[in-house]
Amino acid sequence: MGKYCIGVDVGGTTVKIGLFTDQGELKDKWEIVTRKEEGGSYILSDIAASIEEKLVAENIEKTNVVGIGIGIPGPITADGTVLKCVNLGWGVFNVADEVKKLVGIDNVKVGNDANVAALGEMWQGGGKGYQNMVMITLGTGVGGGIIIDGDILTGSKGAAGEIGHISVNFTEEDTCNCGKRGCLEQFASATGIVKEAKRMLLVSDKPSKLRDLQYLSAKTIFDAAKEGDELANDLVDQLAKYLGIAASHIAAVIDPEAFVIGGGVSKAGRILTNRIKENYEKNVMFALRNKEFKLAELGNDAGIYGCAKMVLN
Amino acid sequence: MGKYCIGVDVGGTTVKIGLFTDQGELKDKWEIVTRKEEGGSYILSDIAASIEEKLVAENIEKTNVVGIGIGIPGPITADGTVLKCVNLGWGVFNVADEVKKLVGIDNVKVGNDANVAALGEMWQGGGKGYQNMVMITLGTGVGGGIIIDGDILTGSKGAAGEIGHISVNFTEEDTCNCGKRGCLEQFASATGIVKEAKRMLLVSDKPSKLRDLQYLSAKTIFDAAKEGDELANDLVDQLAKYLGIAASHIAAVIDPEAFVIGGGVSKAGRILTNRIKENYEKNVMFALRNKEFKLAELGNDAGIYGCAKMVLN
C-alpha cells in the first residue's frame, strides 16, 4: 500500500482539501465551508473532522499518511505560528501544534498561502523542474512566493515574498491598502488594472472599445489588447512594465531560474508573460538575463499541491 | 590541541589570508601578491604554498585544519566553480577541486567575495546575532551579500545579491558599467556620490564648501554634510534615498532581520545608517518595518572571516 499526504488550503470562504499520493498524484479533492464565527475557532476542528471522515471512507490508516500541510492567508513563521490572520479572525497561535493534537498525525507543516502555491507550481505545475523560482500571483492583489533550493523562503517575520508592495511608481497619488503609495499591486493586480483603465479613459482621448463596455475587468482589457485596441495595449504595457521592473529587483536579490505567473490575470496567457519578460530584460544586468517566464498551471489547486509537498520536503 | 580554519580572500592586487580557531578567533593574518600573469595560473599554487609554509611555521598538522574557505571577486556556483573572473584573468573551472589537490585538505569552500564578506560580518562583525541579514558594501561599486538561515545565498547562476544593479532611477541618462541606466551603484557608491556631486555643483547655485575643495571624495562630502553644508546634505540624502528604496525592495523579497552597511563609504558612520533607515521605513509595508541598520565592523578583514566561516557551516 502506498503512502499519502494531505494538503489543506484555508481560504476566507472555503477550505480546499486534497488527498495526494506521495508521488504527487491528486487522488481526491473536496471543500468545506470556512466557519469564521467566534474568532475562527471552529476552522481547525472542522478540518480535522473532514480529514478523519475521508480517511475512514477511503480506508486509509493514519500510519500511511506522511503528513498534513496547511496554507493560511497570513504571515506564518517557520515553526508554524500564525501572526494574526484577519481574514480568518485568528490571533497569534501555533497552528501546527493544534492540528497535530486534533488529528493525531505528527508531521504537520504550515505555510503562507502565496508561498505554498509557489511550492505547488514548482512540484507539479508551471515551475516543474526548477529548484529556484518565484511565483507572482496576479489576483485581487499581487502575491508572491519565493522558492530557494526547492523550499519555501519564509523570511524572518514570515513576510518574504510580499512583492505586491514593492514600490514601482514614486509619483502615484492613490494609497495602497498597505498604507504606502506606488505599490506594484496598485498597477498589476486585477483590481489595479481596472482602476488604471478608468483613470486612463478619463484623461486620454484615444478611441477605445473599452469606452463601450458596461463592465471593465482584467479579462476585457486583455481581450481588447489582443484585438489591437491601443488604449488597452497601453494598459497591458504599463502592467508589464511594472511587473518587469519588480521581477528585475527580485532577480538582483535572489537570482532565480524562473518566474511563474499565476492568478486570475494570468488567464490572459502568453501575451502577459512575453511582455513581462521584455520589460524584465530591459531592467536587469547582464548576469541576470534570460530567465524563464512561465504561466502557472494548477489554478486554484496550486495551494493544496504545495501544502502536500511541504510535508514531503 | 584546538582546531583551525583558514580564510583566503583573493583580490585583484593582493591575497589576504587568515588563520582562525574554529571558535572564530583570528590567530594570524598575512598577505601575498596576486600574480595575474598567464591567466592567473599561479594564484592558487601561490596560496597553497603560503598556507603550507604557515602551517609548518606554526606547527599545525593538516588534520587539525577543518577546512579552507576562498573568496573570489566574481560569480561562483554552489559547487565552487568560478564562471569567469576578469580581475584575476580566470576562465571557468572548479576552484574548490583545484585547491583540494594543491593543499591536500578536503573541506574547501569557495564563495563570491561580497557574499563571504556578508558571512564574515554575520559571524564576528556588525551582523553578529542575526541569521538572516543583508550586507551592502559601498565602495568603488555597490556590492551585496545575502545571508539566509546563517548561510550564503548563491543564486542559480551565482548572481544573488547583485544589488548594486537594482534600478532606482528611471530618468538617469548616464550608463552604468553593467550597460544599464539608473543602477543603485550610480548614486550610492563612492564613485557615484562624487559623480553626483560634480553634476550638482554644476547645475545648482547653492553656496557650498564643496566648491572650494580641490579633491572631492565620499569622505569630504560626508564631512561637509556633518558640518551642515546644504548641498553636501542633499547629496547624502539622495544616496540614502536610493539605498532606502533598494533596501525596501530587498526586504519585500527576503524579509531579513538586519542590514549591515560596509565598504569605504560606511566610514561616515551613523549619519549614513540613520538616513538609510529613515528612507527604508518610508518605502516598506507595515509587516516589514523596524529592521536593524548596522555598520560593518570588520573592515577589510570581513572577507577572511567569512571564508573561514564557510568551512564551519
Side-chain angles (χ1 to χ4, degrees):
Chain A
M1 190 174 178
K3 292 276 185 182
Y4 296 90
C5 47
I6 295 168
V8 182
D9 186 9
V10 185
T13 315
T14 59
V15 179
K16 294 186 189 68
I17 310 180
L19 175 67
F20 292 82
T21 68
D22 62 357
Q23 300 305 305
E25 191 195 344
L26 178 59
K27 300 291 287 181
D28 195 6
K29 63 174 176 174
W30 67 100
E31 294 187 5
I32 62 174
V33 170
T34 308
R35 280 204 287 159
K36 289 190 284 191
E37 302 94 277
E38 295 176 41
S41 58
Y42 303 117
I43 297 174
L44 291 181
S45 50
D46 286 354
I47 291 170
S50 180
I51 289 174
E52 299 266 7
E53 203 180 306
K54 180 64 67 176
L55 292 179
V56 169
E58 298 282 335
N59 202 16
I60 295 171
E61 300 285 337
K62 279 185 192 167
T63 49
N64 282 320
V65 177
V66 180
I68 302 173
I70 304 187
I72 303 291
I76 300 287
T77 60
D79 75 340
T81 301
V82 58
L83 304 173
K84 269 198 178 173
C85 181
V86 184
N87 282 345
L88 305 177
W90 287 358
V92 176
F93 70 99
N94 191 302
V95 178
D97 288 348
E98 193 66 24
V99 173
K100 279 178 208 175
K101 261 187 270 170
L102 285 164
V103 189
I105 285 176
D106 266 356
N107 182 12
V108 176
K109 296 271 173 67
V110 187
N112 166 270
D113 57 354
N115 292 344
V116 295
L119 190 63
E121 288 289 343
M122 181 204 81
W123 192 31
Q124 297 289 5
K128 201 166 179 172
Y130 300 112
Q131 289 284 298
N132 292 282
M133 54 150 270
V134 177
M135 180 156 177
I136 303 179
T137 303
L138 309 175
T140 315
V142 171
I146 314 277
I147 305 294
I148 306 274
D149 294 338
D151 235 326
I152 291 170
L153 178 68
T154 304
S156 69
K157 292 257 175 67
E162 280 288 0
I163 60 176
H165 302 286
I166 288 179
S167 303
V168 292
N169 178 322
F170 294 94
T171 59
E172 165 81 344
E173 288 177 7
D174 287 351
T175 306
C176 176
N177 288 330
C178 82
K180 285 202 309 150
R181 284 173 185 173
C183 291
L184 177 63
E185 183 161 300
Q186 295 275 82
F187 304 95
S189 63
T191 329
I193 192 172
V194 169
K195 187 198 70 171
E196 283 296 295
K198 288 178 181 162
R199 188 184 62 75
M200 270 201 209
L201 286 168
L202 280 177
V203 298
S204 161
D205 50 13
K206 275 186 191 168
S208 168
K209 60 184 63 167
L210 298 181
R211 296 187 192 281
D212 309 325
L213 295 175
Q214 277 216 303
Y215 175 72
L216 278 174
S217 69
K219 181 176 187 320
T220 57
I221 295 165
F222 272 92
D223 285 347
K226 287 175 192 168
E227 289 162 18
D229 188 277
E230 200 183 328
L231 196 138
N233 270 293
D234 291 346
L235 285 161
V236 170
D237 284 341
Q238 178 180 277
L239 170 141
K241 180 181 100 175
Y242 288 129
L243 279 166
I245 289 171
S248 79
H249 296 337
I250 298 166
V253 182
I254 61 160
D255 181 19
E257 297 160 279
F259 292 87
V260 174
I261 314 294
V265 177
S266 72
K267 289 184 186 141
R270 295 301 309 174
I271 182 180
L272 176 67
T273 44
N274 289 344
R275 292 212 195 162
I276 298 172
K277 188 177 163 76
E278 276 166 33
N279 282 282
Y280 170 83
E281 298 290 346
K282 272 186 224 164
N283 280 288
V284 283
M285 68 180 296
F286 188 79
L288 294 166
R289 284 191 200 144
N290 301 315
K291 303 296 184 194
E292 296 292 330
F293 283 79
K294 302 274 195 179
L295 289 165
E297 293 174 2
L298 301 176
N300 290 331
D301 288 346
I304 52 173
Y305 273 91
C307 289
K309 177 63 173 152
M310 268 198 296
V311 299
L312 296 174
N313 269 7
Chain B
M1 192 174 174
K3 293 275 185 184
Y4 296 90
C5 47
I6 294 167
V8 182
D9 186 8
V10 185
T13 315
T14 58
V15 179
K16 293 187 189 66
I17 309 180
L19 175 68
F20 292 82
T21 69
D22 62 356
Q23 301 305 304
E25 190 196 343
L26 178 59
K27 297 295 285 181
D28 194 6
K29 64 174 176 173
W30 66 101
E31 293 187 6
I32 61 174
V33 170
T34 308
R35 278 203 289 160
K36 289 190 284 190
E37 302 93 277
E38 295 176 42
S41 58
Y42 303 117
I43 297 174
L44 292 181
S45 50
D46 286 353
I47 291 170
S50 180
I51 290 174
E52 299 266 7
E53 201 180 309
K54 180 64 68 177
L55 293 179
V56 169
E58 297 283 334
N59 202 16
I60 295 172
E61 300 284 335
K62 280 186 191 167
T63 49
N64 282 321
V65 178
V66 180
I68 301 173
I70 304 188
I72 303 291
I76 301 286
T77 60
D79 75 341
T81 300
V82 58
L83 304 173
K84 269 197 179 174
C85 182
V86 184
N87 282 346
L88 304 179
W90 288 358
V92 177
F93 70 100
N94 191 302
V95 178
D97 288 348
E98 194 65 25
V99 173
K100 278 179 212 177
K101 260 187 272 170
L102 285 165
V103 190
I105 286 177
D106 266 355
N107 182 13
V108 175
K109 297 271 174 65
V110 187
N112 166 271
D113 58 353
N115 292 344
V116 295
L119 190 63
E121 288 289 342
M122 182 205 80
W123 192 31
Q124 298 290 5
K128 200 165 180 174
Y130 300 112
Q131 289 284 299
N132 292 280
M133 55 149 269
V134 177
M135 179 155 177
I136 303 179
T137 303
L138 309 176
T140 315
V142 172
I146 313 278
I147 305 293
I148 306 273
D149 294 338
D151 234 326
I152 290 170
L153 178 68
T154 304
S156 70
K157 294 256 175 68
E162 280 288 1
I163 60 176
H165 302 285
I166 289 179
S167 303
V168 292
N169 179 322
F170 295 95
T171 59
E172 165 81 344
E173 289 177 7
D174 287 351
T175 307
C176 176
N177 287 331
C178 81
K180 286 203 309 150
R181 284 174 185 174
C183 290
L184 176 63
E185 182 161 301
Q186 296 275 84
F187 304 96
S189 63
T191 330
I193 193 171
V194 170
K195 186 198 70 170
E196 284 295 295
K198 288 177 181 162
R199 188 184 62 75
M200 270 202 211
L201 286 169
L202 280 178
V203 300
S204 161
D205 51 13
K206 276 187 192 168
S208 168
K209 60 184 66 167
L210 297 181
R211 296 186 191 280
D212 309 324
L213 295 175
Q214 276 215 306
Y215 175 71
L216 278 175
S217 68
K219 180 175 187 321
T220 56
I221 296 165
F222 271 92
D223 285 347
K226 288 176 191 167
E227 288 163 18
D229 188 277
E230 201 183 329
L231 196 138
N233 270 292
D234 291 347
L235 284 161
V236 170
D237 283 341
Q238 177 180 277
L239 170 142
K241 180 182 99 175
Y242 288 130
L243 279 166
I245 289 172
S248 79
H249 296 336
I250 297 167
V253 182
I254 61 162
D255 181 18
E257 297 160 277
F259 292 86
V260 175
I261 315 294
V265 177
S266 72
K267 289 184 187 142
R270 295 303 307 175
I271 181 179
L272 177 67
T273 44
N274 289 343
R275 292 213 195 161
I276 298 172
K277 187 176 164 77
E278 275 167 33
N279 281 282
Y280 170 83
E281 298 289 346
K282 274 186 222 161
N283 279 288
V284 284
M285 68 181 296
F286 188 79
L288 293 167
R289 283 190 201 145
N290 301 315
K291 303 296 184 196
E292 296 293 330
F293 283 79
K294 301 276 196 179
L295 289 165
E297 294 173 3
L298 301 177
N300 291 331
D301 288 347
I304 52 173
Y305 273 91
C307 288
K309 176 64 173 151
M310 268 199 297
V311 299
L312 297 174
N313 268 7

